[in-house]
Amino acid sequence: MLSKPIFALLLSSTAAVNAASLLQVRQGASTDSCPGYTVSNPKSDKSSFTADLTLAGTPCNAYGPDIKNLKLEVTYETATRIHVKLTDAKNKRYEVPEEVFDRPAPSKFDSKKADIKFGYTKSPFSFTITRASTGEVLFDSSAAPLVYEPQYLRLKTKVPSQANIYGLGEHTNNFRLDPSNTTRTFWNRDAYGVAPGTNLYGTHPIYFEHRTTGTHGVFLLNSNGMDVKLTDGALEYNAIGGIFDFYFLAGPSPVEVAKQYASLVGKPAEMPYWAFGFHQCRYGYRDFVEVSQVITKYSAAGIPLETMWTDIDYMKSRWTFTNDPDYFPTNRMQEIVNYLHNHNQQYILMIDPAVAYQPNKNYGAYDRGTADDIWMKNPDGTPFLGVVWPGVTVFPDWFHPKAPAYWAEEVERFFDPKTGINVDGIWIDMNEAANFCEYPCPNPQQAAIDRNMPPPRPRDPPAKDTPIFTKRQNTNSTIDVLNPPYAIGNVLPNLSSNTAAVNIIHKNGLIEYDTHNLYGTMMSSITRDAMLQRRPTQRTLIITRSTFAGAGSKVGKWLGDNLSTWDHYRNSIAGILGFASLYQVPMVGADVCGFGGNTTETLCARWTTLGAFYPFYRNHNGDTSISQEFYLWESVTQAAKNAISIRYRLLDYIYTHFHRASGDGTPILNPLWFKYPNDPNTYPIDLQFLFGDSILVSPVTAENSTSVDIYLPKDIFYEFSTFTPVQGSGSKITLSNIAFTDIPLHIRGGAVIPLRAESGMTTKDLRSKDFHLVVAPGSDGQATGSLYIDDGISLKQKATTEITFTYAKSELKAKGKVGYNPEKVKISKVSFLGVNQQPKGVSVGGGKYKGHKYDASRKVVDVEVEIGLSGSLGGFSVKLK
């Protein structure tokens, strides 16, 4: 979250700089003429290979002295994963700490049985990864000599011309990266406006490359600043520290690559059922009265609101772990929370990492942190001071051994159900870490005054008795960390610009230069642990801004400070696909209707329907923008009702997908090419996607248009609203007369979709609704589906329901075990799609048959039934005769 005035100040120093020039190196060093390395002393066994690498000629010293001796380690860890590690043979270099990135347990696999193979050339050294079944080369580092220097590492691989490469986030580029001219820079920053082609909030150095012969993945475990440059025929890594620590994933399908990556970085955390409901927030709710009014207005408009959020407005002078006693007094905030909980709704507040620098002011969070000495330090040992919303601030050092306990105690104290604000989840912002004081920040106190931090309140507080709810590591001294010789494409002028200074030394001796990109994900993980200490038996929802590889195993993510524009509406699709299908952070969404600037009624209506198919669905905008709650426009109100009704009816379908993802990493969202990998027309598509495996979402994407051209692969689909079959032919079709309150949806053939028979005003209400099974046969006349039900909140489930549905030869069957169904819901309806003629009859096993109807125009048979969900589902059958 970055306010417009501050954004303007930050841009003033860079506005005149062409974005492309920022991606150029500071000096014209020629790395292609570097000598590379020669292999000696190779050793191997059935699952590993090691060798020494020696500089092969005169050092090029492109950005520092070439390191003369390297160590190569190759391990076949599984049938589908090879680990390749290149390190300095004599001197220890920084590697991503185990405490931040929990690597898989050591394992070895027989290389002769592996799906991919490692090979190498002796001099100059290069290596390949090939697919065992075909001999196809997937990675080939012979494209340029290996360069390995103290502050510069370069490795370049050949890729096919016009390669289909996805990932390397976080970014707002197209989902399929431009294969001719893309530079992806990894240096987490506060990125208001999320401009395409720039470094944003998170670091995920994983890419999927797809070919008609299969898909593979390449992950570089390195947290240092980095450029990855993609040109036609080549992909090049340029890192300013760390080591080359590669993991190669065999696939061969895109979904298999996703699952293999999840096994490496951590499978997604399961989320509470309520987290999939609709969330409302904005920066700029002025006081507790306004928050309560939003809650009641949603109720009055008949729009389901699951969770209410409040931004930093609630804080006293923007101090973390405080609430303003006049604008957001504790007793009135407790009243809001109790009201929400009594209506089966939830409440979430934001916290920031920066703690106000307030010595001798009786500010507990600062005083206790100072007593524990847990702040990040300058090289001279003094606390590093920055400027954030409270004014002058200090920043927790997440590597300090006392920092997790300090943070957990602050969370426990402030959110205590009896004495504080009993939140159900936490929202984390500014954790790159963001810093408004321009580097080198010689006088943070004056900088805070110049930026008017903390910002003044725009109006007087309400009366405290106003009625509400009346009817809601040490570094080598020769290393220049402040100005490294190779300049990555950071859009800001210095690595320390608007963040913590990179020469900060952490408590454990590591330097911020190496660990900068880990700060946000460490805060997220520690905050999640703190919430679990508050409620040890329950899942929680933590939504963060800054992430690193593996973050999804702990938290969810929102795409940051987007703008209320049609471009941002469109590119949000590529954003959510990146996190949900590639980076294993599936609980992801963009700010619906946009955060910065003013939305329009038509944009907000369209975005409201699209947002219903983000895993994380929240309306949120800035304090200088117009209000954009859904109930403010008639069309947006109707769009919200329509979209939330569909989302909620599908909630168990996507919850089932999320449960599967937490077990094996199967994506909950799919780009079309994941399901149609042999159809090249799908490779660049990023304005359509699959919600789960089987719901094709094709939003209208042109401003003020009521039509859209969508691509349908050669497959059978069914319109979601009518269940009418549509035969795809591998071409585009035009959909017309699409109201601003609607979004085009299709069911992909081959699926059994478990819908709730009707929606509800809360997710708790929804759980009492019966099920309506929709059988959408594929071209082969068959369909499958599944349903998972649990209590929606417990970390360890005492009982669950898991059902698999199969349809073949005109008969729907089910098998599984029903262990959880306290609401006594049942299956009340089964719809068979694509039925070409009136059935002679219907037989029902395991329950009651209550009649059926055939609609010849839609080719649908609706069967009314009463089939209880209990036991082993023995005898469950619905058959068309």
Side-chain angles (χ1 to χ4, degrees):
M1 176 182 59
L2 190 62
S3 69
K4 286 181 179 177
I6 293 176
F7 179 53
L9 286 168
L10 295 184
L11 285 187
S12 64
S13 62
T14 59
V17 182
N18 183 279
S21 69
L22 290 171
L23 303 181
Q24 297 175 356
V25 297
R26 287 201 179 101
Q27 60 193 59
S30 174
T31 53
D32 288 342
S33 62
C34 292
Y37 290 80
T38 297
V39 174
S40 63
N41 196 29
K43 297 179 181 179
S44 63
D45 58 29
K46 68 177 184 178
S47 60
S48 64
F49 174 84
T50 61
D52 298 325
L53 303 184
T54 305
L55 198 66
T58 303
C60 65
N61 299 333
Y63 299 99
D66 287 357
I67 294 173
K68 294 182 179 180
N69 299 293
L70 305 179
K71 186 70 176 179
L72 168 66
E73 300 174 75
V74 180
T75 306
Y76 288 77
E77 295 187 338
T78 71
T80 58
R81 186 174 74 226
I82 294 177
H83 185 191
V84 177
K85 190 172 182 180
L86 282 161
T87 59
D88 187 330
K90 294 186 177 180
N91 299 299
K92 182 175 176 57
R93 290 175 66 96
Y94 166 77
E95 300 179 30
V96 176
E98 289 278 352
E99 65 193 273
V100 181
F101 186 90
D102 189 12
R103 294 158 177 81
S107 62
K108 292 186 176 183
F109 189 85
D110 188 343
S111 62
K112 294 181 179 179
K113 299 178 182 179
D115 293 348
I116 48 177
K117 305 288 186 180
F118 172 87
Y120 73 96
T121 298
K122 182 176 180 180
S123 184
F125 165 74
S126 64
F127 71 92
T128 59
I129 302 294
T130 58
R131 196 173 296 286
S133 60
T134 63
E136 182 179 19
V137 178
L138 307 179
F139 191 95
D140 179 0
S141 72
S142 68
L146 170 67
V147 181
Y148 215 107
E149 298 172 350
Q151 287 184 272
Y152 179 71
L153 288 76
R154 195 279 297 272
L155 186 143
K156 189 174 185 178
T157 180
K158 298 176 182 178
V159 297
S161 178
Q162 296 300 297
N164 300 301
I165 290 179
Y166 308 82
L168 300 175
E170 180 177 2
H171 60 76
T172 50
N173 297 29
N174 291 339
F175 187 56
R176 175 180 179 257
L177 297 174
D178 178 355
S180 301
N181 184 25
T182 293
T183 297
R184 287 293 312 113
T185 297
F186 296 102
W187 191 254
N188 298 353
R189 72 178 181 98
D190 183 358
Y192 180 92
V194 291
T198 66
N199 49 308
L200 301 181
Y201 308 103
T203 293
H204 297 269
I206 168 75
Y207 74 81
F208 288 35
E209 188 202 326
H210 179 66
R211 308 175 186 179
T212 55
T213 54
T215 310
H216 66 277
V218 180
F219 172 54
L220 174 57
L221 179 55
N222 183 306
S223 64
N224 286 82
M226 187 189 322
D227 288 335
V228 181
K229 299 180 179 181
L230 179 60
T231 55
D232 194 35
L235 184 146
E236 177 180 299
Y237 294 91
N238 298 264
I240 60 173
I243 66 170
F244 280 134
D245 196 358
F246 286 102
Y247 292 86
F248 296 92
L249 309 173
S253 75
V255 171
E256 286 302 315
V257 176
K259 293 165 70 173
Q260 291 155 14
Y261 184 60
S263 295
L264 174 62
V265 302
K267 299 178 181 68
E270 291 212 77
M271 297 291 167
Y273 191 86
W274 60 259
F276 296 90
F278 168 66
H279 305 255
Q280 175 61 48
C281 183
R282 84 164 292 179
Y283 175 38
Y285 289 140
R286 308 304 185 190
D287 49 54
F288 71 92
V289 175
E290 191 168 354
V291 172
S292 70
Q293 289 172 342
V294 171
I295 296 168
T296 54
K297 286 177 181 178
Y298 266 102
S299 178
I303 302 173
L305 172 64
E306 184 69 21
T307 308
M308 188 66 196
W309 298 49
T310 305
D311 208 309
I312 59 173
D313 308 280
Y314 77 91
M315 297 178 184
K316 174 188 175 183
S317 301
R318 304 298 194 257
W319 297 3
T320 293
F321 297 119
T322 69
N323 56 292
D324 192 290
D326 297 315
Y327 291 84
F328 294 87
T330 300
N331 66 319
R332 303 315 304 270
M333 296 299 286
Q334 290 174 332
E335 187 178 346
I336 288 173
V337 172
N338 290 337
Y339 179 91
L340 288 167
H341 288 174
N342 289 337
H343 289 80
N344 301 313
Q345 296 166 294
Q346 281 70 230
Y347 191 53
I348 287 178
L349 289 176
M350 172 187 279
I351 56 174
D352 289 343
V355 174
Y357 177 69
Q358 293 290 334
N360 305 314
K361 295 291 182 66
N362 199 30
Y363 173 32
Y366 172 78
D367 293 342
R368 288 183 287 269
T370 300
D372 285 341
D373 194 30
I374 55 94
W375 310 127
M376 289 207 291
K377 301 289 184 65
N378 292 307
D380 64 3
T382 60
F384 171 76
L385 300 181
V387 176
V388 195
W389 298 110
V392 181
T393 61
V394 288
F395 299 82
D397 178 353
W398 303 120
F399 286 105
H400 195 292
K402 293 184 179 180
Y406 158 79
W407 199 253
E409 289 165 5
E410 295 303 319
V411 168
E412 179 74 26
R413 179 180 288 105
F414 184 66
F415 298 119
D416 184 276
K418 294 181 179 179
T419 61
I421 303 171
N422 186 20
V423 295
D424 301 285
I426 287 178
W427 174 23
I428 299 171
D429 194 18
M430 311 297 285
N431 58 329
E432 290 72 32
N435 175 14
F436 298 156
C437 193
E438 304 236 8
Y439 179 79
C441 191
N443 188 341
Q445 287 79 8
Q446 186 59 49
I449 294 170
D450 293 343
R451 295 182 182 278
N452 204 24
M453 293 292 154
R457 296 281 181 178
R459 66 187 186 197
D460 292 335
K464 292 186 177 181
D465 60 354
T466 301
I468 59 175
F469 301 124
T470 52
K471 242 198 175 270
R472 174 253 83 19
Q473 136 192 295
N474 293 332
T475 184
N476 188 318
S477 60
T478 64
I479 300 298
D480 185 356
V481 298
L482 295 174
N483 296 285
Y486 175 85
I488 61 172
N490 182 16
V491 73
L492 297 174
N494 296 287
L495 295 182
S496 299
S497 294
N498 305 114
T499 189
V502 295
N503 62 349
I504 287 171
I505 306 296
H506 291 281
K507 180 67 175 180
N508 61 355
L510 295 180
I511 190 168
E512 182 67 6
Y513 176 86
D514 292 322
T515 66
H516 166 82
N517 288 335
L518 304 177
Y519 191 86
T521 212
M522 290 187 73
M523 178 187 180
S524 302
S525 180
I526 288 170
T527 301
R528 178 179 184 269
D529 292 343
M531 283 294 286
L532 292 179
Q533 287 187 39
R534 289 183 67 242
R535 298 177 179 177
T537 64
Q538 295 185 8
R539 304 172 193 161
T540 189
L541 176 65
I542 307 294
I543 296 295
T544 188
R545 189 168 78 175
S546 183
T547 55
F548 185 74
S553 64
K554 299 291 182 68
V555 299
K557 150 82 181 172
W558 101 102
L559 295 181
D561 296 342
N562 61 0
L563 304 179
S564 296
T565 69
W566 287 87
D567 279 342
H568 283 219
Y569 161 79
R570 285 184 288 266
N571 67 31
S572 71
I573 300 173
I576 62 167
L577 285 177
F579 278 91
S581 62
L582 303 181
Y583 312 142
Q584 290 294 334
V585 188
M587 196 62 173
V588 61
D591 283 344
V592 172
C593 302
F595 174 80
N598 293 327
T599 193
T600 65
E601 181 176 356
T602 54
L603 174 60
C604 197
R606 287 286 186 224
W607 213 328
T608 297
T609 62
L610 171 61
F613 297 92
Y614 299 158
F616 172 59
Y617 183 28
R618 184 186 70 169
N619 180 338
H620 174 56
N621 71 324
D623 62 334
T624 59
S625 306
I626 63 171
S627 296
Q628 62 184 37
E629 288 79 12
F630 290 162
Y631 51 72
L632 292 173
W633 299 276
E634 184 177 350
S635 68
V636 180
T637 297
Q638 191 58 53
K641 289 181 178 180
N642 293 351
I644 295 173
S645 177
I646 296 171
R647 178 184 176 89
Y648 279 22
R649 292 188 66 205
L650 283 166
L651 202 147
D652 291 271
Y653 159 85
I654 203 65
Y655 187 76
T656 298
H657 278 74
F658 213 99
H659 174 71
R660 182 179 66 179
S662 72
D664 66 8
T666 300
I668 69 165
L669 301 183
N670 291 272
L672 264 69
W673 67 269
F674 269 37
K675 296 302 180 182
Y676 300 95
N678 296 319
D679 182 352
N681 293 325
T682 65
Y683 300 169
I685 293 175
D686 58 9
L687 295 179
Q688 297 173 258
F689 63 98
L690 288 158
F691 185 66
D693 290 335
S694 306
I695 303 298
L696 177 62
V697 183
S698 306
V700 177
T701 54
E703 182 173 3
N704 298 329
S705 177
T706 57
S707 65
V708 63
D709 293 336
I710 72 167
Y711 182 78
L712 291 182
K714 292 181 181 179
D715 204 349
I716 184 69
F717 296 87
Y718 304 85
E719 291 182 357
F720 185 86
S721 59
T722 65
F723 296 156
T724 303
V726 179
Q727 179 61 51
S729 61
S731 62
K732 287 187 176 181
I733 64 171
T734 299
L735 305 180
S736 303
N737 301 317
I738 303 164
F740 285 96
T741 56
D742 296 330
I743 185 169
L745 304 172
H746 291 82
I747 301 172
R748 178 172 172 251
V752 178
I753 307 292
L755 295 174
R756 292 285 181 169
E758 57 182 314
S759 184
M761 286 298 290
T762 65
T763 59
K764 182 176 178 59
D765 181 30
L766 181 69
R767 290 171 69 88
S768 66
K769 309 298 184 183
D770 289 339
F771 283 99
H772 170 194
L773 301 182
V774 178
V775 181
S779 301
D780 60 0
Q782 299 182 27
T784 60
S786 58
L787 175 62
Y788 172 79
I789 307 173
D790 61 18
D791 70 11
I793 193 67
S794 297
L795 281 170
K796 294 183 178 180
Q797 295 291 329
K798 295 180 180 179
T800 63
T801 289
E802 298 187 58
I803 305 171
T804 299
F805 301 101
T806 57
Y807 175 78
K809 297 180 180 180
S810 302
E811 183 177 14
L812 175 67
K813 295 182 178 181
K815 64 178 181 180
K817 183 177 181 181
V818 178
Y820 185 87
N821 186 17
E823 293 88 357
K824 305 299 181 184
V825 298
K826 58 186 181 296
I827 297 169
S828 60
K829 186 177 182 179
V830 180
S831 294
F832 295 91
L833 315 189
V835 181
N836 292 320
Q837 60 184 15
Q838 169 102 348
K840 296 179 180 179
V842 177
S843 65
V844 175
K848 295 180 180 179
Y849 166 69
K850 303 177 72 174
H852 74 274
K853 293 181 180 179
Y854 177 66
D855 186 325
S857 64
R858 297 186 297 126
K859 298 184 178 181
V860 175
V861 178
D862 289 320
V863 184
E864 303 294 332
V865 298
E866 188 174 314
I867 302 175
L869 294 180
S870 62
S872 61
L873 298 172
F876 179 107
S877 170
V878 182
K879 184 174 183 178
L880 304 181
K881 298 179 180 179

